[in-house]
Amino acid sequence: MELQQLVCWFSVMIVLFFKGCASKLPDGAKIILTGSGSTRCSGRVEIYHNNNWVSVSDYNWDLNDAEVVCRQLNCGTALEAPRSAHFRAETEKIWLDNVNCSGNESSLNECQHSEFGRHKCGYDRSAGVICSDLIRLAGSGSTRCSGRVEIYHNNIWGRVSDGGWDLNDAEVVCGQLNCGTALEVPHSAHFGAGTGRIWLDNVGCSGTESSLTECKHSGFGSHSCGQGQDAGVICSDLIRLAGSGSTRCSGRVEIYHKYIWGTVSDYNWDLNDADVVCRQINCGSAVDALQLAYFGEGTGQIWLSDVTCSGNESSLTECEHSGWGNYYSGHYYDVGVICSGPIRLAGSTRCSGRVEIFHNKIWGTVCDNGWDLNDAEVVCRELNCGLALEAPRSAHFGAGTGQIWLDDVACSGKEGSLTECQHGGFGVNTCKHGEDAGVICSAVPMILTGSGSSRCSGRVEIYHNNIRGTVCDNGWDLNDAEVVCRQLNCGTALEAPHSAHFGAGTGQIWLDNVGCSGTETSLTKCQHSGFGSHRCGHGQDAGVICSDLIRLAGFGSTRCSGRVEIFHNNIWGTVSDFNWDLNDADVVCRQINCGSALEVPRLAYFGEGFGPIWLGDVTCSGNESSLTECQHSGWGNYYSEHHYDVSVICSGETTYR
């Protein structure tokens, strides 16, 4: 009998023990946030147990647990789950350990945890939370960083109307939620229509505010909208661009891991990696992949290094890398990117060209109906290209192809983005590509224009004192044209036409008697008679014809001999020498007006290039007019090294004007 009682007692103890290891808080248990630096929605987590406030251990404490606390306290979304007594431990009473929430519970008392009072940590291991406080994202299909925007006011969660809702407003929300950069600003209850109060309408943020409630608006509860007009955001979540001189689409790359923002080291960083970043933050394609802390050195953790992307990944973290935090270098090597952005200029230079915008993952043009200097002003500012000088119409920079996204654009000139201006709606238009709109911004040093001109051939016109003028052909030669072609990223000078070959200009004549050595970085650095001083008329306007997409470069190179480089995706890259022969070289020499090919040096004869290796396995018949017309393995598909960069030695120029 005594043995049976002992067994029974022992069984009960086992049951109670295991129940204690996966117990729950009593229903209605109180919870507060406290500690040094705490606020209503951030602090050390404490619960009320046995008439005492006691801490929670940070063992296994994560964002799911913090999410439950934030929800229980009506504090929005969990941003961080600080550990190691982040808010300072002021008591040695830790009563709760090994908390395990799924994140969906409505209160901490529904989560599993160890038996009360049983813990393996010291008082310096208390758990904390940082919640978004007055803002959260909700609705059908929402995530931590995308959803219908809701704010907390007068103890009630309410919605935000989409009247005037734009990317600047969304940028504030994403920043407030620690969700990186704003990618999209869905209107019309994209995440489903909410219920209850509509707290804000006509929100107008500059994009730099720390909280949505700091932005201009119509007043809490004052609105003129109905159901189905709820505002939403889609944020980049785990990636952002930061640093000195950064913009929404250019800056130091930072990623969010283990609740900490950190940088990426530049070992093996290239255009493929940058392309993934740009696409991830909805900023088009990569223009440049920068190294050596171009946007300034970051601080704290260096999360990734030796990143190797194919360029097709949807997120940087999907690319191969050396592991999280496994690279021990300094922030001197932090990487950056410059992306084309949701807007770009095509057909000319970085700050002049046909306006194209990125929508629904497709680049499209803008129709010139109503297009004016105010509209151009917004584009120039968005691209960091200074002031708008001109707003060309009628496909001045050539007709685009494919989609026409915007028509009847009407900007005040103060908007932060062209898509914030009034327009007829995406894809709604009554025009053709012969009406594509363009801009010329003040950051443009020169353009090529005139009858029969192209991106890399035309009458030379420069901007001085924000006024456009021509260049006289007195003394104009191939060295002068070489400087122009280099300045416009147009390869090598093929010809230096005189006598208004591309038609006579009008207005100001800025330069005469230009004398370049051919090595200058800008035409205005060459010798000349002085701005506005000339003895010629517009019948003597100078022109250039450049090779455009191809050039010869490298140590010891000349105009007709050197390492072959081609321009693709806004980047100069090299060609691998597999199957490279005299037929291929002949095409290059003819393309740059350098006669016929004499030699085809291999193994980086003129030195190794850098950046992408654009082409490999090139096979020309010898009759093609351009190297890109020859058969090859595809753009960027050749996995070689710059040790194999190809070169040519041509017989010399065959024509000169």
Side-chain angles (χ1 to χ4, degrees):
M1 185 67 175
E2 290 179 354
L3 181 60
Q4 287 178 334
Q5 288 177 336
L6 182 61
V7 170
C8 182
W9 178 84
F10 189 73
S11 300
V12 170
M13 289 298 101
I14 291 176
V15 170
L16 290 175
F17 176 81
F18 282 104
K19 282 186 69 177
C21 286
S23 60
K24 295 182 179 179
L25 286 169
D27 288 339
K30 297 178 182 178
I31 187 169
I32 61 170
L33 301 180
T34 187
S36 177
S38 63
T39 67
R40 189 185 79 85
C41 290
S42 64
R44 182 178 66 252
V45 180
E46 291 195 359
I47 59 172
Y48 196 65
H49 180 69
N50 283 347
N51 296 321
N52 285 300
W53 287 103
V54 294
S55 298
V56 177
S57 168
D58 66 4
Y59 181 70
N60 279 337
W61 185 255
D62 61 21
L63 211 60
N64 282 341
D65 308 320
E67 186 70 28
V68 173
V69 172
C70 293
R71 182 183 301 113
Q72 186 174 355
L73 292 173
N74 230 346
C75 278
T77 303
L79 302 183
E80 299 181 38
R83 304 166 80 170
S84 303
H86 178 84
F87 292 95
R88 291 180 55 184
E90 297 173 358
T91 175
E92 296 186 10
K93 294 179 181 178
I94 293 182
W95 279 89
L96 209 56
D97 193 13
N98 200 20
V99 175
N100 185 16
C101 304
S102 69
N104 298 318
E105 295 85 355
S106 58
S107 65
L108 200 65
N109 64 316
E110 296 176 10
C111 303
Q112 293 185 338
H113 59 80
S114 298
E115 182 182 1
F116 277 109
R118 294 179 64 89
H119 60 89
K120 303 175 182 178
C121 55
Y123 66 90
D124 59 344
R125 297 299 303 272
S126 59
V129 297
I130 298 176
C131 310
S132 64
D133 195 356
L134 301 177
I135 195 165
R136 70 182 181 189
L137 301 181
S140 175
S142 64
T143 67
R144 191 183 79 85
C145 291
S146 63
R148 180 178 63 245
V149 180
E150 298 189 353
I151 61 170
Y152 195 64
H153 181 68
N154 277 355
N155 295 323
I156 298 172
W157 284 103
R159 295 163 287 147
V160 177
S161 172
D162 62 9
W165 187 252
D166 61 25
L167 213 60
N168 282 340
D169 309 322
E171 189 70 25
V172 173
V173 172
C174 294
Q176 191 174 354
L177 292 171
N178 222 351
C179 279
T181 301
L183 302 183
E184 298 182 37
V185 285
H187 287 215
S188 305
H190 178 84
F191 293 95
T195 58
R197 299 297 298 269
I198 297 175
W199 278 130
L200 295 183
D201 191 9
N202 295 315
V203 175
C205 304
S206 68
T208 60
E209 295 85 354
S210 59
S211 166
L212 193 67
T213 55
E214 295 176 10
C215 302
K216 294 180 180 178
H217 55 80
S218 301
F220 285 101
S222 177
H223 64 89
S224 57
C225 55
Q227 296 297 320
Q229 292 181 256
D230 294 339
V233 297
I234 298 176
C235 309
S236 63
D237 193 358
L238 301 178
I239 194 164
R240 70 182 181 188
L241 301 182
S244 176
S246 63
T247 67
R248 198 184 80 78
C249 291
S250 64
R252 181 178 62 246
V253 178
E254 297 191 352
I255 54 179
Y256 196 62
H257 182 65
K258 290 190 175 178
Y259 320 118
I260 297 172
W261 285 102
T263 62
V264 178
S265 180
D266 65 10
Y267 182 69
N268 277 338
W269 185 254
D270 62 20
L271 208 63
N272 281 343
D273 309 323
D275 243 344
V276 173
V277 172
C278 293
R279 189 169 56 253
Q280 188 175 355
I281 61 175
N282 211 7
C283 277
S285 57
V287 173
D288 209 347
L290 300 161
Q291 302 184 352
L292 299 176
Y294 181 89
F295 290 96
E297 297 183 18
T299 57
Q301 185 69 50
I302 300 170
W303 277 130
L304 295 183
S305 179
D306 198 9
V307 175
T308 306
C309 305
S310 69
N312 298 318
E313 295 84 356
S314 59
S315 166
L316 194 67
T317 56
E318 294 176 11
C319 303
E320 292 184 8
H321 55 78
S322 59
W324 291 97
N326 288 338
Y327 196 74
Y328 304 100
S329 67
H331 284 290
Y332 175 75
Y333 300 99
D334 287 343
V335 306
V337 296
I338 296 177
C339 308
S340 61
I343 190 166
R344 69 182 182 187
L345 301 180
S348 188
T349 68
R350 192 183 79 80
C351 291
S352 67
R354 180 178 62 250
V355 179
E356 297 189 353
I357 60 173
F358 195 62
H359 180 68
N360 277 356
K361 301 183 179 179
I362 297 173
W363 285 103
T365 62
V366 177
C367 189
D368 65 7
N369 289 322
W371 187 254
D372 61 20
L373 213 57
N374 281 342
D375 308 322
E377 185 72 25
V378 174
V379 173
C380 293
R381 184 168 58 252
E382 188 172 1
L383 292 172
N384 203 19
C385 280
L387 303 174
L389 300 180
E390 300 182 35
R393 306 168 77 168
S394 303
H396 177 84
F397 293 99
T401 58
Q403 185 68 51
I404 298 174
W405 277 130
L406 296 184
D407 192 8
D408 295 317
V409 175
C411 304
S412 68
K414 298 178 180 179
E415 294 84 356
S417 168
L418 191 67
T419 56
E420 296 174 15
C421 303
Q422 291 183 344
H423 56 79
F426 285 99
V428 178
N429 64 81
T430 58
C431 54
K432 297 181 179 180
H433 283 295
E435 300 172 71
D436 286 340
V439 297
I440 298 174
C441 308
S442 62
V444 176
M446 69 170 63
I447 64 169
L448 301 181
T449 188
S451 176
S453 63
S454 67
R455 190 184 82 87
C456 291
S457 63
R459 181 176 63 247
V460 180
E461 298 195 357
I462 65 170
Y463 282 90
H464 181 66
N465 287 342
N466 288 338
I467 298 172
R468 188 166 74 173
T470 61
V471 177
C472 188
D473 64 9
N474 290 321
W476 187 254
D477 62 19
L478 214 58
N479 281 341
D480 308 323
E482 186 70 24
V483 174
V484 172
C485 294
R486 181 186 305 111
Q487 190 173 355
L488 293 175
N489 229 345
C490 279
T492 302
L494 303 183
E495 301 182 36
H498 287 213
S499 304
H501 177 84
F502 292 95
T506 58
Q508 184 70 50
I509 298 174
W510 276 128
L511 296 182
D512 193 7
N513 294 314
V514 175
C516 304
S517 68
T519 60
E520 294 86 353
T521 57
S522 167
L523 193 67
T524 55
K525 293 183 179 179
C526 301
Q527 291 183 344
H528 56 79
S529 302
F531 286 102
S533 177
H534 62 87
R535 295 182 178 180
C536 59
H538 282 296
Q540 294 176 258
D541 286 341
V544 296
I545 299 175
C546 309
S547 64
D548 193 356
L549 301 177
I550 195 163
R551 69 183 181 187
L552 301 182
F555 181 75
S557 63
T558 68
R559 197 183 79 78
C560 292
S561 64
R563 179 178 63 247
V564 178
E565 297 191 351
I566 55 179
F567 196 62
H568 181 66
N569 272 359
N570 295 323
I571 298 288
W572 286 102
T574 63
V575 179
S576 180
D577 67 6
F578 183 71
N579 278 338
W580 187 255
D581 61 20
L582 213 58
N583 281 343
D584 309 322
D586 246 344
V587 173
V588 172
C589 292
R590 188 169 58 253
Q591 187 176 354
I592 62 174
N593 208 9
C594 278
S596 58
L598 300 179
E599 297 181 42
V600 285
R602 299 188 174 198
L603 299 177
Y605 181 84
F606 288 92
E608 296 184 14
F610 54 91
I613 299 172
W614 279 131
L615 295 183
D617 199 11
V618 175
T619 306
C620 304
S621 68
N623 298 318
E624 295 84 355
S625 60
S626 166
L627 192 66
T628 56
E629 294 177 9
C630 303
Q631 291 183 342
H632 55 78
S633 59
W635 291 100
N637 288 338
Y638 198 77
Y639 302 101
S640 178
E641 297 177 355
H642 285 293
H643 176 66
Y644 299 99
D645 287 343
V646 305
S647 304
V648 296
I649 297 177
C650 307
S651 62
E653 62 199 54
T654 55
T655 62
Y656 178 74
R657 289 190 226 172

